[in-house]
Amino acid sequence: MNQLEGRLAKIEKAVNNFGGLVYEFRVENALSLQDMAEVVSLSPSYLWRIENARRKPDLDVRVRILTSGMNWSTVDIHLYLEQIIARESANIEPC
């Protein structure tokens, strides 16, 4: 898998399973819930609920986690937002 394919796969995972992506990142980087929560200014319990798909955080919280917590680049954030907008636009039915 080349670098672009890897980035696109990461973005696709963030769109489809945001909590799973956060959990995998946290475990791969040996971060406790407390450690990650402090970095992104959330409570550990709220972060746990995100990871376990019990809460869907607002877009600003997701971007904060991706940028502050997971060090995503501006380009990756832009691609992620494009995917989110495209998905939500497709789900809107015309009046």
Side-chain angles (χ1 to χ4, degrees):
M1 178 181 303
N2 68 35
Q3 186 177 6
L4 179 59
E5 289 172 341
R7 289 172 89 176
L8 294 176
K10 176 177 73 169
I11 290 162
E12 187 68 23
K13 176 135 189 174
V15 170
N16 293 323
N17 184 8
F18 185 78
L21 179 76
V22 173
Y23 175 78
E24 287 175 9
F25 175 85
R26 190 174 60 75
V27 169
E28 287 172 3
N29 290 279
L31 295 169
S32 68
L33 275 168
Q34 182 69 38
D35 294 336
M36 183 75 158
E38 287 176 9
V39 170
V40 296
S41 300
L42 296 172
S43 71
S45 63
Y46 185 62
L47 187 60
W48 181 90
R49 289 191 300 266
I50 292 169
E51 289 181 352
N52 290 279
R54 292 190 174 18
R55 291 286 183 265
K56 182 178 179 185
D58 290 334
L59 188 56
D60 65 318
V61 173
R62 286 182 271 165
V63 169
R64 183 175 1 137
I65 291 169
L66 294 172
T67 56
S68 299
M70 299 172 63
N71 300 315
W72 275 33
S73 71
T74 305
V75 172
D76 288 345
I77 294 294
H78 181 77
L79 293 170
Y80 172 73
L81 293 173
E82 283 181 344
Q83 290 294 318
I84 293 292
I85 291 167
R87 176 169 285 185
E88 290 184 7
S89 296
N91 290 332
I92 297 174
E93 294 182 21
C95 296

